[in-house]
Amino acid sequence: MEDPLHREILEEHARSPGHQSSLEQPTGKSVWTSPRTGNVCSVAIVSEGERITGVQAEVEGSALAIACSSLMGSAVEGITVEEALGLAKSVIEFLEDGKETSFSGDLVVYESIIRFPERHDCAMLPWRALVLALKS
């Protein structure tokens, strides 16, 4: 059964997604297109030193993908590139392989998403784009 609080968090992020404003002079950019669904996510980041100071994510796809891009942006802004890569890896491995992990803050919604394998691709979309942007 889906947690009502998780659903509320996802609905709020889908209705009013954050991190959609354009960034001036991004230090990394990427686009990920899901081969399974055709959903597209573009991510741009600004980092100063090793810290991510700005994130922009735009999704052409499902409400879940939009919500997850907003969650991703909130989770990685202010942390280091290394921490962001580790977090992205944790989310992807959790959804792909069921690898145990502990999420904090709004990222706890992934504990509900895991129960819906048909939605995993949408939930991983922004994280896959982020990994490419961080490595660009």
Side-chain angles (χ1 to χ4, degrees), residues 51-127:
R51 193 151 306 275
I52 298 169
T53 58
V55 179
Q56 180 216 8
E58 291 185 27
V59 173
E60 294 175 25
S62 70
L64 178 61
I66 292 167
C68 288
S69 72
S70 179
L71 287 162
M72 180 268 306
S74 296
V76 301
E77 193 167 62
I79 66 175
T80 68
V81 168
E82 185 177 323
E83 290 167 332
L85 283 168
L87 183 56
K89 180 180 175 185
S90 292
V91 170
I92 292 168
E93 287 179 349
F94 179 69
L95 293 174
E96 282 187 330
D97 306 324
K99 184 176 179 186
E100 288 296 317
T101 192
S102 177
F103 294 114
S104 61
D106 284 352
L107 294 182
V108 298
V109 300
Y110 287 97
E111 294 170 5
S112 286
I113 295 169
I114 190 79
R115 296 189 293 263
F116 301 94
E118 68 279 5
R119 303 309 313 257
H120 290 181
D121 193 68
C122 294
M124 288 187 287
L125 182 75
W127 295 98

